[in-house]
Amino acid sequence: QLARHPERLRLGGETRMVTVLAADIRGFAALAERFDAAGLSRFMRRFLTPMTAIIHEWQGTVDKYVGDRVTAFWNAPLDDPDHPRHAARAALAMRRHLVRLNQELREEAAQRRARSRPVLIGIGIATGECSVGNFGSAQRFDYSVLGEPVTLASRLQSVARTYGADILLGEAVAETV
């Protein structure tokens, strides 16, 4: 789209209804201590590559990676009238992939006669009105999303552990799906 419409490469945003997904690895600090820097980089690539593919498969836009965290949103830049459902389906697919990844890690650890600890994630999903566009400074900007649903998705992801859940949905998402 940007190749066809380079005028869209400007700071600013538009107000849209979007669904935001925030996911991160539980106990990441302890997990990271098991690796050297190169090993941690390889592990994160192994984790994030399929998670990103799942988000794209369900028509989501990856907003950013921060350490072990991935944030994504739906219904921007392309219209997706079923965005809450697509985000929820992506979360379920991410959870299913994690089961396979943990099985692979167990098998690899068994071959090394090492102990394996499962990788656990928390996911929060929220829907609401946000500003979507190019945000940042005059020197550097990124296509991103700003608004209360971003904060809510992050908080739901964080509190999911308290409830013994992998995935928590905001009220608007739950009503839709």
Side-chain angles (χ1 to χ4, degrees), residues 2 10 14 40 45 51 55 68 98 125-126 136 143 154 166:
L2 289 175
R10 59 178 168 62
E14 64 175 312
L40 184 58
R45 186 172 49 251
M51 297 302 177
I55 290 166
D68 62 311
L98 191 61
I125 306 173
Y143 188 77
S154 176
D166 294 333

Side-chain angles (χ1 to χ4, degrees), residues 28-73:
F28 181 69
L31 175 83
E33 290 173 358
R34 298 187 297 192
F35 296 99
D36 62 13
L40 184 58
S41 177
R42 282 190 302 274
F43 172 79
M44 289 307 301
R45 186 172 49 251
R46 185 175 181 183
F47 173 78
L48 289 171
T49 297
M51 297 302 177
T52 300
I54 289 166
I55 290 166
H56 290 164
E57 176 184 341
W58 286 101
Q59 302 170 15
T61 300
V62 172
D63 184 12
K64 62 183 61 82
Y65 308 109
V66 178
D68 62 311
R69 181 188 181 121
V70 60
T71 305
F73 54 90

